Amino acid sequence: MIEVQKVSKVFDRYEAVQEAQISIQKGSIYGLIGSNGAGKTTLIKLVAGIYQPDLGRITIDGQDNFENTKVKKKMFYIPDHPYFLTHYTTLQMAQFYRSIYPNWSQERYETLVASFKVNVKKKIHTFSKGWQRQIAFILALSTRPEVLILDEPLDGLDAVVRKKVKNLLIQDVSEREMTILISSHNLRELEDICDHIGIIHRGKILIEKELDELKSDIHKVQVAYKGEVPEHVIKRLSVLHTEKRGSVFLCIVKGKEEEISELILNTNPVIFDLLPLTLEEIFIYEMGDNGYAIENIMVE
Amino acid sequence: MPLKTSWLNKELILQIIRSTSWISILYFFGLLFALPIRMLMMYTAEEESIAQYNPVNSLFHYEFVIQLGLTIIIPVLLSVFLFRYLQVKQSADLMHSLPIRREKLFHHYVLSGIILLILPIIFVAFIIMGVHAAFNLSSFFHLKDIGYWVGTTIVLDLLIFSAGVFVAMITGISAVQGVLTYILLLFPAGMTVLIFYNLQMLLFGFPTDFYLHRNLETLSPLTYATLLDGRPLQKIDVILYLFFTFLFYVFSILLYKKRKVESASEAIAFTKLRSIFKYGVTFCTMLVGGMYFAEVQNESFDWMIFGYIVGSIIGYYIANMLLEKSWRVFHKLKGLVIYGVVIAFVYIGIQGFGFYENNVPEQSEIKKVYLTDSPRMNLDPKLYGYTFTPDALQEKSNIELVRKLHQQIINDKKINAQLPENEFMRTAFFLYELENGKIVTRQYRVDDRIYEQLFKPIYESTEYKMASNEIFHIDADEVEYLNIIGNGPGKWTVPFRIEKDLKEIIELLRADILVESYEDQNYYSGRGSNIEIFLGKDHYVYLDFKPTYKGLEKWLKDRELLNQTTIVPEDISSIKIIEWDSKEMTHPDLIEEKIENSTEVLEIKDIKQIKEVLTNAGWGRTHHYIAIFHFKEGNYSERLYLDEEHAPEFVKAFFK
């Protein structure tokens, strides 16, 4: 379990992360979404124990992560641009990590290398960006980390490999209860693997949600009446947003599906539709004013 | 399950070796060519050509320039490449995401570095030992010389390397690391020179040379290294250098623990150090600017101030550009203005309202005083060879005279500060030892002619003559030989080795010097024959054999040696004299030209007149007539001068 408690990080010229607060359950895949410069990478490096927070605390299973080898042995971090020791081959990198991470699994490494068909004796920097990223994944998963920290990991991978990598991640999560912190500037990219989403904007965490809960809790309602709109009923609903299109009201409503249906059907509407929202829409409405500000990062 | 954790990580060491061992290999080959191979080249030639080689002082003798270059460059290069991982953002992230604590990383890198640095030296030392044994080089150097070479090289390398490591912790840019390391290493020596030089400009009488000649080279390992082929590394310096190596090591770890990974690619990694860096650079460039303009513009005070201002501005903006990594820093004026105000106050503080400049110790306070024309006193003979240090003056009357001279120089501050350098300028160095144990030192450049009347009574006093002429400080028993060196065609060098002769000559010289006037000291110095006294191992005493040394002259004449050692009238066929009333030194070609074109030339052939001119001519700086002596033997002539006072009557009469 990762706890980021009111963490701030100031660089010389600006405050990159402000009082960020997230918590990641063991075995969950946590997606951190934000536009470029929002503070994703900084927050990720803080969790990875590379940066030291100026304020606040980051604990992993109750222990501070910074300069704590005991914690870091169970973690692996893949940066946004995979980086390897200069002129190292995959094999040399593997030996290097094997000497450092006690959970290294040679068997896993060999299986992965075989399945990705990597030439382990070739210097890594001669591979293409996409291949380098795959090698980074192979090495990371071979250390059998309890916590895997990935900064924009799917960038530059083609659809097939992307699928393969996602499957591998999900497999480790389900088999070993691995926890993943994964960042992206694109919500859609993570929609299918994350169970939790946090949105970071200008250094602040705007919202943190469990996806299943979100999807079942928020609805788009289209309703039309012949005469007066029964305001008192509408007021009893938790409405995030209303719009009038002709005689049709369009509302975004929070709450359980059955309760909303029951309430509205009792007012005898002419038209009544209850629709699910896309993830993007949910976030935009949830965040109110901020939602519009960051709309572009969702629908890229 | 307990994990087997070893302190050493083989893979990490392997990584270090993979990325930096090329430097070690380079070092090895550099040393290999500079020492063993060079030795083979020298000592495996023909027997006769080997005979020309003397035993060496130390192994630094072999290709010293290459050795020096390696010692200066290799350790810094190694520290830069080792800690490259700190300065490149991506590798800094990678290395610090690993479950390895910083101390462990640090020790792995530094200790591997030390081994990579030392191994080539050790290997080469073994090869030298092999060469030494195989070619029997004992007549050139011994095994203990190899030990000294290994030890000295390692001590210096380690200090320079650890300084590089220390700077690596402070900066986030590899290039800056290299440059700052050299600055740091030169800093103590460079700063001392800069500050003393500037104080000399700001404070009339500040004895810069007195402070600067004292082991200045040892203040920086780099300047020390440049002297290694000549003088041995001293024990105290070894201890000092090892101590600093240790200090750099400890401070490096402490800084590393506090360092932020994100400071990779920042010029200065610690925010708090940035102002120190900024104003430090400003201060240094200010001093350099002042020194440069003062030096180029003949110690002009106004130009020095100009240099201060220009230097400060340049330094301030360069430092800002480095820190901000941008050209656009010119709007930052506030820091510069505050700096200027602070410096103005410091300047007023240094001037101290004239207290320093006007201070001449009271007569009653003074125990003794040294007055010399060089502040190089009491030098360590081990480092500089033998140098003579005069005795102090203790007679009340002399102390009073020195004080009077000193006070007059201070009173003439404005004149003295503006005088351009010329042949009459001399250094007047005062060192007072006070009754309370304190020492007051001052140094001035003064024009002889202005202070002649004040110097004269001091220089003519017996106490001063005995204190400052080395001839009064030597013992005839210790003299190995004494040469009287003749100068001119048909003259010889006459050596004396018999103790009785030596005793007599020294006694006569002492007596002659004691009666010599101040004017004659100056007027006759530099002409004629010389006396050289050798006291063993680099210790010589040189004197002019002046025509006023009547005692010695008679002694030589009695032994019929005078004609061999000095020019006598019989050697000379004629003398041509012209009037030449110039205050300054004159180029010989101009004089020749003048004689050829002049209608007013006095030519003397009479032996009596020749004798009179010969005994009265000097190499003096004040001259009225030029006398060209033509010798009978060979096509040889010599030029001497006559001033108004020494000119014989018939000369004066001719030019009237």
Side-chain angles (χ1 to χ4, degrees):
Chain A
M1 161 125 177
I2 303 170
E3 291 273 10
V4 175
Q5 297 158 37
K6 291 208 158 183
V7 164
S8 295
K9 179 72 189 172
V10 182
F11 292 138
D12 295 334
R13 297 170 188 97
Y14 63 100
E15 192 171 12
V17 170
Q18 299 170 43
E19 298 199 354
Q21 185 114 17
I22 59 177
S23 69
I24 305 170
Q25 300 300 319
K26 191 171 172 61
S28 79
I29 303 180
Y30 188 102
L32 185 65
I33 315 287
S35 57
N36 294 328
K40 291 188 305 276
T41 300
T42 306
L43 185 56
I44 283 218
K45 286 185 184 173
L46 282 162
V47 176
I50 296 169
Y51 292 169
Q52 186 174 22
D54 292 319
L55 290 171
R57 251 185 107 180
I58 298 172
T59 57
I60 289 162
D61 295 335
Q63 287 189 308
D64 285 295
N65 66 340
F66 188 74
E67 282 287 270
N68 186 341
T69 47
K70 222 171 137 190
V71 169
K72 282 167 116 183
K73 274 176 184 160
K74 299 184 281 188
M75 285 190 343
F76 198 96
Y77 157 75
I78 301 181
D80 46 358
H81 300 286
Y83 184 83
F84 306 92
L85 297 172
T86 325
H87 293 292
Y88 264 48
T89 64
T90 308
L91 190 64
Q92 287 169 333
M93 260 337 271
Q95 279 163 350
F96 181 73
Y97 281 132
R98 187 165 63 176
S99 79
I100 286 165
Y101 288 94
N103 291 336
W104 176 270
S105 160
Q106 189 64 17
E107 193 193 333
R108 186 79 206 279
Y109 165 72
E110 277 157 17
T111 322
L112 286 170
V113 164
S115 91
F116 278 89
K117 298 193 178 67
V118 177
N119 177 0
V120 295
K121 289 186 178 159
K122 196 176 159 196
K123 287 187 175 177
I124 303 177
H125 71 95
T126 62
F127 284 100
S128 70
K129 279 268 141 53
W131 270 100
Q132 289 187 24
R133 202 175 282 281
Q134 290 178 52
I135 292 166
F137 270 108
I138 292 170
L139 293 166
L141 292 173
S142 301
T143 68
R144 299 175 66 80
E146 287 177 27
V147 175
L148 185 60
I149 299 165
L150 309 166
D151 196 359
E152 306 248 358
L154 301 169
D155 251 23
L157 296 184
D158 61 49
V160 180
V161 182
R162 197 180 280 232
K163 187 84 203 148
K164 208 166 166 184
V165 166
K166 278 185 180 175
N167 284 342
L168 277 172
L169 293 178
I170 291 164
Q171 191 189 333
D172 270 46
V173 170
S174 58
E175 276 177 13
R176 304 190 290 113
E177 274 213 298
M178 180 171 76
T179 311
I180 299 177
L181 170 60
I182 186 168
S183 80
S184 177
H185 53 267
N186 189 343
L187 181 61
R188 248 177 234 166
E189 194 176 80
L190 298 184
E191 212 172 339
D192 53 345
I193 62 165
C194 288
D195 47 32
H196 284 75
I197 290 283
I199 291 186
I200 186 166
H201 185 61
R202 292 193 182 152
K204 288 184 180 149
I205 298 287
L206 295 180
I207 187 170
E208 193 185 15
K209 279 284 169 192
E210 191 175 338
L211 275 190
D212 291 346
E213 178 198 336
L214 263 181
K215 282 187 176 167
S216 59
D217 250 25
I218 195 158
H219 310 274
K220 193 189 270 180
V221 175
Q222 285 185 33
V223 63
Y225 293 98
K226 262 187 183 156
E228 282 283 294
V229 178
E231 296 277 354
H232 62 283
V233 176
I234 305 289
K235 270 182 187 159
R236 281 172 62 191
L237 293 166
S238 141
V239 178
L240 294 173
H241 180 80
T242 33
E243 243 180 81
K244 203 175 172 198
R245 289 183 187 162
S247 58
V248 179
F249 277 97
L250 192 127
C251 313
I252 307 296
V253 184
K254 250 177 135 173
K256 292 236 159 62
E257 192 181 335
E258 307 84 61
E259 286 169 17
I260 297 167
S261 310
E262 200 189 321
L263 254 169
I264 293 180
L265 286 172
N266 283 344
T267 57
N268 297 318
V270 186
I271 306 167
F272 172 61
D273 275 322
L274 199 137
L275 307 160
L277 268 74
T278 66
L279 203 51
E280 286 149 16
E281 285 173 311
I282 295 173
F283 276 103
I284 288 163
Y285 292 124
E286 275 271 340
M287 287 184 295
D289 291 341
N290 279 325
Y292 295 102
I294 61 162
E295 197 167 351
N296 55 334
I297 69 169
M298 309 284 190
V299 291
E300 210 171 84
Chain B
M1 183 183 69
L3 290 160
K4 185 178 162 264
T5 48
S6 144
W7 191 85
L8 280 178
N9 185 309
K10 201 185 87 196
E11 285 293 329
L12 195 55
I13 294 170
L14 205 61
Q15 191 269 323
I16 296 166
I17 290 173
R18 278 186 182 126
S19 59
T20 53
S21 57
W22 62 272
I23 299 172
S24 199
I25 293 165
L26 197 73
Y27 193 25
F28 172 75
F29 280 107
L31 290 177
L32 190 72
F33 282 108
L35 293 139
I37 290 184
R38 181 78 191 119
M39 288 170 190
L40 289 178
M41 287 158 71
M42 284 168 76
Y43 301 136
T44 56
E46 312 273 307
E47 290 257 343
E48 310 90 74
S49 55
I50 297 179
Q52 65 175 320
Y53 297 117
N54 294 320
V56 295
N57 280 335
S58 71
L59 296 196
F60 290 103
H61 173 80
Y62 300 99
E63 297 295 339
F64 178 61
V65 176
I66 296 180
Q67 290 200 47
L68 178 67
L70 291 171
T71 292
I72 291 177
I73 293 167
I74 293 288
V76 175
L77 197 66
L78 186 62
S79 73
V80 167
F81 275 89
L82 273 178
F83 286 94
R84 188 88 189 112
Y85 84 86
L86 268 184
Q87 325 296 26
V88 177
K89 254 190 163 46
Q90 290 169 314
S91 64
D93 288 349
L94 169 65
M95 295 310 288
H96 294 101
S97 74
L98 299 173
I100 303 175
R101 289 177 63 84
R102 291 183 180 193
E103 292 100 307
K104 189 169 168 180
L105 276 179
F106 180 84
H107 286 123
H108 270 79
Y109 275 85
V110 173
L111 295 177
S112 307
I114 289 175
I115 291 167
L116 285 172
L117 200 56
I118 289 178
L119 275 184
I121 303 171
I122 305 278
F123 282 149
V124 168
F126 278 117
I127 295 171
I128 296 172
M129 278 162 77
V131 171
H132 185 268
F135 296 92
N136 193 19
L137 301 180
S138 303
S139 48
F140 304 106
F141 62 91
H142 301 285
L143 287 182
K144 77 172 200 304
D145 289 320
I146 304 178
Y148 168 76
W149 175 80
V150 170
T152 307
T153 309
I154 288 178
V155 166
L156 275 171
D157 279 8
L158 283 186
L159 177 61
I160 295 171
F161 173 70
S162 63
V165 172
F166 175 74
V167 174
M169 299 305 140
I170 291 175
T171 178
I173 301 173
S174 293
V176 174
Q177 186 193 336
V179 174
L180 272 188
T181 304
Y182 288 116
I183 291 178
L184 175 72
L185 288 169
L186 285 172
F187 192 77
M191 213 52 199
T192 312
V193 172
L194 272 180
I195 287 184
F196 281 145
Y197 185 89
N198 281 278
L199 280 178
Q200 178 191 320
M201 292 299 299
L202 293 174
L203 289 177
F204 181 63
F206 186 83
T208 299
D209 297 329
F210 176 69
Y211 294 118
L212 280 192
H213 78 254
R214 302 197 155 207
N215 295 338
L216 182 67
E217 306 85 3
T218 56
L219 284 178
S220 158
L222 297 187
T223 50
Y224 205 128
T226 60
L227 301 174
L228 275 176
D229 64 337
R231 81 181 194 207
L233 188 69
Q234 304 295 306
K235 233 178 228 147
I236 175 77
D237 296 322
V238 173
I239 294 167
L240 204 68
Y241 285 3
L242 288 177
F243 174 71
F244 269 102
T245 304
F246 173 74
L247 220 59
F248 278 136
Y249 196 95
V250 171
F251 275 104
S252 300
I253 301 187
L254 293 178
L255 284 173
Y256 188 22
K257 282 187 180 170
K258 296 211 167 216
R259 184 186 163 107
K260 293 175 171 174
V261 175
E262 64 266 28
S263 50
S265 87
E266 293 286 345
I268 299 293
F270 295 90
T271 343
K272 281 175 190 154
L273 284 180
R274 283 184 196 150
S275 339
I276 296 177
F277 174 76
K278 182 157 65 185
Y279 293 108
V281 170
T282 311
F283 184 66
C284 287
T285 51
M286 178 185 84
L287 294 184
V288 170
M291 182 164 140
Y292 172 78
F293 281 101
E295 193 73 335
V296 170
Q297 286 298 324
N298 256 325
E299 317 213 326
S300 146
F301 188 78
D302 297 337
W303 277 103
M304 184 181 67
I305 298 293
F306 172 77
Y308 281 162
I309 294 169
V310 170
S312 310
I313 292 173
I314 292 174
Y316 179 78
Y317 283 119
I318 284 182
N320 266 307
M321 283 174 197
L322 262 173
L323 290 174
E324 306 275 326
K325 289 187 275 180
S326 156
W327 295 101
R328 288 179 225 166
V329 291
F330 292 102
H331 59 280
K332 299 200 168 208
L333 268 171
K334 205 174 110 194
L336 191 58
V337 171
I338 294 171
Y339 173 81
V341 173
V342 172
I343 288 297
F345 276 109
V346 171
Y347 172 70
I348 293 167
I350 288 173
Q351 293 277 307
F353 307 104
F355 179 76
Y356 182 90
E357 293 186 349
N358 296 330
N359 178 27
V360 177
E362 293 299 325
Q363 175 84 15
S364 57
E365 292 178 316
I366 300 169
K367 197 166 140 202
K368 50 184 178 177
V369 61
Y370 295 86
L371 172 66
T372 68
D373 50 13
S374 161
R376 297 171 68 85
M377 292 172 64
N378 296 318
L379 300 179
D380 185 350
K382 258 189 287 180
L383 305 180
Y384 295 97
Y386 181 84
T387 47
F388 171 67
T389 297
D391 282 345
L393 306 177
Q394 289 177 307
E395 282 172 17
K396 286 265 174 282
S397 56
N398 273 330
I399 292 177
E400 184 58 49
L401 287 168
V402 172
R403 284 192 67 242
K404 221 170 118 191
L405 169 68
H406 190 178
Q407 188 61 56
Q408 191 56 45
I409 293 173
I410 292 171
N411 294 347
D412 300 341
K413 179 189 168 186
K414 281 217 172 91
I415 304 168
N416 283 319
Q418 283 168 3
L419 278 179
E421 193 60 36
N422 64 54
E423 57 182 303
F424 297 100
M425 294 296 268
R426 67 149 85 195
T427 297
F429 176 72
F430 297 84
L431 190 154
Y432 299 92
E433 276 186 42
L434 305 186
E435 292 290 353
N436 62 13
K438 281 189 182 158
I439 284 175
V440 175
T441 51
R442 295 292 185 275
Q443 179 191 346
Y444 306 92
R445 288 294 284 171
V446 293
D447 192 316
D448 239 347
R449 292 168 295 187
I450 301 178
Y451 298 102
E452 193 173 353
Q453 291 314 309
L454 289 165
F455 273 119
K456 184 178 156 75
I458 303 170
Y459 278 30
E460 285 183 352
S461 72
T462 305
E463 188 192 24
Y464 182 84
K465 283 181 172 172
M466 292 180 67
S468 56
N469 281 301
E470 197 177 357
I471 190 86
F472 292 97
H473 296 253
I474 60 174
D475 195 337
D477 298 341
E478 287 165 14
V479 175
E480 295 203 2
Y481 62 79
L482 180 150
N483 287 336
I484 297 185
I485 303 164
N487 192 0
K491 300 300 156 189
W492 306 94
T493 292
V494 180
F496 299 91
R497 286 179 183 278
I498 302 165
E499 202 179 320
K500 185 172 159 284
D501 288 348
L502 296 172
K503 273 209 168 117
E504 284 176 17
I505 294 173
I506 290 171
E507 278 312 314
L508 287 168
L509 275 170
R510 285 178 180 168
D512 286 338
I513 287 170
L514 282 179
V515 296
E516 193 183 15
S517 74
Y518 175 65
E519 290 84 359
D520 285 350
Q521 277 173 38
N522 286 333
Y523 184 74
Y524 287 117
S525 73
R527 67 151 269 187
S529 309
N530 299 302
I531 300 158
E532 175 191 78
I533 306 171
F534 180 63
L535 290 121
K537 204 180 187 283
D538 301 339
H539 186 178
Y540 290 92
V541 179
Y542 294 101
L543 291 105
D544 289 324
F545 184 4
K546 294 173 188 164
T548 48
Y549 292 179
K550 296 294 178 196
L552 181 62
E553 197 178 290
K554 183 171 180 299
W555 191 86
L556 289 169
K557 201 171 185 177
D558 291 347
R559 282 157 186 76
E560 293 187 344
L561 290 166
L562 191 64
N563 290 3
Q564 291 184 33
T565 50
T566 53
I567 296 164
V568 289
E570 288 76 22
D571 295 329
I572 288 156
S573 59
S574 71
I575 302 175
K576 279 183 188 160
I577 298 174
I578 53 158
E579 203 171 11
W580 186 264
D581 197 7
S582 163
K583 289 270 181 290
E584 309 304 330
M585 288 288 254
T586 312
H587 196 273
D589 290 351
L590 278 175
I591 298 167
E592 303 269 326
E593 211 180 294
K594 164 107 180 175
I595 292 175
E596 282 190 15
N597 299 331
S598 177
T599 47
E600 286 222 311
V601 180
L602 170 62
E603 187 163 7
I604 304 166
K605 294 200 166 166
D606 174 54
I607 191 116
K608 257 180 125 179
Q609 287 185 337
I610 288 177
K611 188 181 178 189
E612 206 177 340
V613 174
L614 181 64
T615 40
N616 280 303
W619 187 247
R621 299 166 300 178
T622 50
H623 45 257
H624 201 133
Y625 306 101
I626 297 177
I628 310 289
F629 292 71
H630 293 282
F631 285 71
K632 287 177 183 163
E633 210 172 307
N635 184 20
Y636 184 79
S637 66
E638 198 175 319
R639 181 166 34 93
L640 289 172
Y641 303 91
L642 288 164
D643 67 3
E644 197 61 33
E645 200 182 319
H646 289 81
E649 283 307 318
F650 66 87
V651 175
K652 286 186 203 168
F654 179 83
F655 288 102
K656 213 159 235 177

